[in-house]
Amino acid sequence: MKHRRIPKRRAAIAGAGIAALVTAGLTFQTANASQETPTPELKPLSATAAGKLASTLGEDLGTDAAGTYYDAASKTLVVNVLDEAAAGLVEKAGGKARVVQNSLAELKSARATLTDKATIPGTSWATDPTTNKVVVTADRTVSKAEWAKLGKVVEGLGGKAELQRTKGEFKKFAAGGDAILSGGGRCSLGFNVVKDGAPHFITAGHCGQAGSTWEDANGGALGEMVESSFPDNDFALVKYADGVEHPSEVNLYNGSSQAITAAAEATVGMQVQRSGSTTQVHDGEVVALDATVNYGNGDIVNGLIQTTVCAEPGDSGGSLFAGDQAVGLTSGGSGDCSSGGETFFQPVTEALQVFGAEIG
């Protein structure tokens, strides 16, 4: 068993932000209740509430935090920790603790090794909190020699990583919510936002460059792309032309729409939906965070959300959402919506922070 000094800040876990969760989640044994320590009871949480609790616990646990994920069946936040002392703090806050082997620092080091020794087109890697490992995936374009190289690097990482193969091919879903077009290319609108009091929308960075002009599927002018970031990131900002309607909602392609009121961080286990102009609306689950994808030709994107949601060319930039919460922008992936596959998304919260914008 590993033993670590508990940060002083942990004392605050019983304070204002957490007290309500702790108080609501306590039950007492009927026998000798006055002498025994109360046993915390897990409190059902929504995926969004679990994400907020995960952020708070991450700060309080410090280096003893080793990742989190949401168990949709029990509606609980599972928190990986490195020792029993940290586990106790998690349980007091209303989460389910799990003592694991690998720290976040060790998994981060494993990812750095992969970047240094195994940067191969057609590969991705992401930290999976459910296995407490870095999962390395190779698509069908990875050769036998490259597969062997990957295997050797992963083997050298011991129990910190595992290697798997996907039948599809990692690619950007740009061909191209609603369809948006520029210069013959098609992507999808992500979310409407406000920057400096003016209406804009965000989409994928690989869809275009700053200065490009965009129109809707009927040829109506939408606006001009004012900022774009790709590779490393995959987000872009388009300023609406005067007079264009810009409701804060997502097209559900069934005659209705989903209102979007805020942005939320993704949580592993979160149930999500994606809307795009090629395949319309599909759903799935967040399976990993902070994923790195090598699309080839030097196009490497970091910090992505990995999901089981399908997508196809033309869906790029489209909305990933959970209820009324904006979560991600479609970047790329493998497979299609007939055979299935995995899709990666740029976190919306990062794009909003970089652009100084907000959902609206």
Side-chain angles (χ1 to χ4, degrees):
M1 180 68 67
K2 298 180 179 179
H3 297 280
R4 290 171 169 77
R5 181 176 63 85
I6 302 174
K8 292 181 180 179
R9 178 166 157 67
R10 289 188 186 170
I13 203 168
I18 301 299
L21 288 174
V22 177
T23 302
L26 295 180
T27 59
F28 294 82
Q29 295 180 4
T30 55
N32 301 319
S34 62
Q35 299 179 4
E36 296 182 1
T37 302
T39 301
E41 179 180 299
L42 294 177
K43 180 180 179 180
L45 299 170
S46 67
T48 301
K52 293 178 180 178
L53 179 58
S55 296
T56 301
L57 284 171
E59 293 179 3
D60 288 302
L61 291 171
T63 57
D64 281 332
T68 63
Y69 63 94
Y70 181 63
D71 185 336
S74 62
K75 295 185 177 180
T76 56
L77 176 71
V78 181
V79 183
N80 294 337
V81 294
L82 301 177
D83 56 43
E84 295 295 344
L89 290 172
V90 170
E91 291 167 357
K92 287 180 181 179
K96 180 179 180 181
R98 188 177 70 144
V99 179
V100 296
Q101 179 68 32
N102 300 316
S103 69
L104 288 179
E106 290 169 330
L107 296 178
K108 183 177 180 180
S109 176
R111 291 167 61 94
T113 298
L114 288 163
T115 300
D116 182 51
K117 298 182 178 180
T119 299
I120 298 170
T123 60
S124 72
W125 46 79
T127 302
D128 181 1
T130 65
T131 62
N132 190 226
K133 294 180 180 181
V134 176
V135 178
V136 183
T137 305
D139 73 12
R140 64 187 179 193
T141 68
V142 174
S143 67
K144 290 183 179 180
E146 291 169 330
W147 174 264
K149 179 180 178 179
L150 278 172
K152 185 175 181 180
V153 174
V154 169
E155 183 179 1
L157 293 172
K160 300 180 184 65
E162 62 181 46
L163 179 61
Q164 63 182 24
R165 173 83 80 167
T166 182
K167 294 180 180 179
E169 177 182 345
F170 292 139
K171 54 190 175 184
K172 303 181 289 292
F173 286 138
D178 290 336
I180 56 175
L181 301 96
S182 178
R186 177 167 59 88
C187 279
S188 297
L189 191 152
F191 298 97
N192 286 328
V193 301
V194 176
K195 175 181 171 63
D196 299 329
H200 296 68
F201 69 81
I202 51 177
T203 186
H206 71 261
C207 288
Q209 300 294 322
S212 57
T213 56
W214 292 81
E215 58 185 34
D216 62 25
N218 297 318
L222 286 176
E224 179 178 322
M225 187 170 285
V226 292
E227 295 186 55
S228 180
S229 181
F230 181 82
D232 189 28
N233 297 309
D234 198 359
F235 47 70
L237 181 70
V238 177
K239 185 176 182 179
Y240 273 114
D242 292 341
V244 179
E245 294 185 4
H246 47 85
S248 186
E249 58 187 35
V250 171
N251 188 351
L252 297 181
Y253 287 92
N254 61 2
S256 65
S257 60
Q258 169 65 59
I260 300 297
T261 62
E265 297 283 355
T267 303
V268 172
M270 176 185 281
Q271 300 300 304
V272 289
Q273 291 180 285
R274 177 199 55 73
S275 179
S277 62
T278 299
T279 58
Q280 302 184 359
V281 179
H282 289 271
D283 57 21
E285 180 179 324
V286 175
V287 295
L289 304 176
D290 197 21
T292 295
V293 184
N294 189 333
Y295 292 122
N297 299 315
D299 293 340
I300 301 173
V301 185
N302 299 297
L304 298 177
I305 303 164
Q306 184 173 349
T307 75
T308 60
V309 188
C310 71
E312 296 181 12
D315 288 326
S316 276
S319 322
L320 181 74
F321 57 101
D324 63 357
Q325 306 290 296
V327 178
L329 304 168
T330 307
S331 175
S334 69
D336 54 44
C337 289
S338 296
S339 61
E342 56 266 293
T343 304
F344 299 90
F345 296 84
Q346 165 69 52
V348 163
T349 51
E350 181 185 8
L352 294 178
Q353 182 179 19
V354 170
F355 292 143
E358 59 184 19
I359 294 294

